[in-house]
Amino acid sequence: MIAAIDFGCYAIRSAVRTDRITLRSERSEYVILPGKHDYHQTLTERKVPFARCEGSLVAYGNGVDRIDWLSRMPATPLFPGGRLPSADAPARQIIYLMTESLLPAPTQSGMPCCFTTPDGSESSATAEFLQQLIRMRGYDPIYCPSSHATNLACGADSAFTGISINMGIERSEICVSRLGMVLAKESIDAGAGWIDMELARQTGFHTWDDEGVCYLDVASVREWKQSDNLNLREPGDERARALSRLYGVVLDRLAATVRQMLMQEPAAAMTGETRQPVICSGGPVQIPGFAGLLTERFVEQGTASRIASVRIANGPVECVTRGLLIHGELERSAVTKVA
């Protein structure tokens, strides 16, 4: 039995391999509701998971979408800025409950569980808290960057050699690999969350709570981005052009970071002048035109001569958890050989 859990800022996803692979996913958000009987009854009838906290009801996970009419307040992220909030007791309680729900009890002690962190760090306070939760479930935690997991899941065609990029809500992670060995990795604080907030601000996506307080309506932005007629390279109206410009800002940073990574040792020595394939994963990369827009940024950065191709991973949302399972299998095999 091997488990994996990807602590993302949009969703927490898990994968467990026994005789088959089971994938699960829960949104990384919650909504605080009054602790009244009517709210309790509604949550119970609709089978929305919730917890009690200081006299209030806290609905969380995928159920948040099913009760959006109960509160006009925007959902609160579990990992604001990609980090565990130090003074948010409901968030910590919910992360514990979701981890317990997404990870079944191991069949024996010492089972590995590979995980990612929302801040892209192995040694932060957020990482330490998440490792503790995994140990409480009875697993041995093994950290793996989401970009490396992307390479393991989708890099077989290139012998696990090249550049892998995982774009999330708050952060984007980049990895340069050769034959599955990490040569360089970076994490930058740029992702789709900033794009969504800026688009809401620039184009007038707003919502109001019951007291008339105005908020940026990021949820409506994300829903609009799934429109069939959107393409980053062929924007049809001013709102689509704004989206393309904002994506371009983030991709500029990604392309510049890739350029720097290829120039530094040991990546420079190990890759030489060989063109590197680029694999992109994460929900934000699914929008049509993403690969083409990133290719344009590589050209502008003077890096195109080092890039063989840019492609979107097969199953870009789930590939990180699949890669985590592969990493866990490799780690367990290494331990077995040493023993």
Side-chain angles (χ1 to χ4, degrees), residues 100-217:
E100 186 177 49
S101 172
L102 291 169
L103 289 179
T107 54
Q108 63 185 74
S109 61
M111 290 288 97
C113 177
C114 287
F115 73 103
T116 65
T117 57
D119 60 355
S121 172
E122 183 180 4
S123 57
S124 64
T126 299
E128 291 176 3
F129 177 77
L130 298 177
Q131 288 184 69
Q132 183 180 18
L133 295 184
I134 293 171
R135 290 192 183 97
M136 290 172 64
R137 285 302 286 160
Y139 292 91
D140 288 342
I142 301 173
Y143 174 75
C144 177
S146 61
S147 52
H148 181 47
T150 297
N151 180 49
L152 292 175
C154 305
D157 292 345
S158 58
F160 306 103
T161 296
I163 301 163
S164 48
I165 298 173
N166 177 257
M167 185 174 179
I169 294 295
E170 299 289 349
R171 306 190 68 81
S172 297
E173 296 188 27
I174 309 166
C175 179
V176 180
S177 304
R178 183 175 183 271
L179 301 176
M181 179 179 68
V182 176
L183 303 179
K185 59 183 177 69
E186 291 287 347
S187 177
I188 63 174
D189 57 347
W194 176 81
I195 295 173
D196 297 342
M197 292 287 287
E198 280 298 309
L199 188 67
R201 183 177 292 110
Q202 293 181 18
T203 60
F205 278 95
H206 296 101
T207 186
W208 289 263
D209 65 13
D210 294 332
E211 297 180 356
V213 178
C214 181
Y215 297 90
L216 295 176
D217 192 0

Side-chain angles (χ1 to χ4, degrees), residues 66-103:
R66 303 204 304 272
I67 49 109
D68 56 357
W69 52 277
L70 280 178
S71 173
R72 300 183 66 178
M73 289 283 291
T76 302
L78 290 176
F79 300 107
R83 296 174 178 83
L84 180 73
S86 58
D88 191 338
R92 287 174 174 259
Q93 181 182 4
I94 292 166
I95 295 168
Y96 165 76
L97 292 173
M98 292 178 70
T99 302
E100 186 177 49
S101 172
L102 291 169
L103 289 179

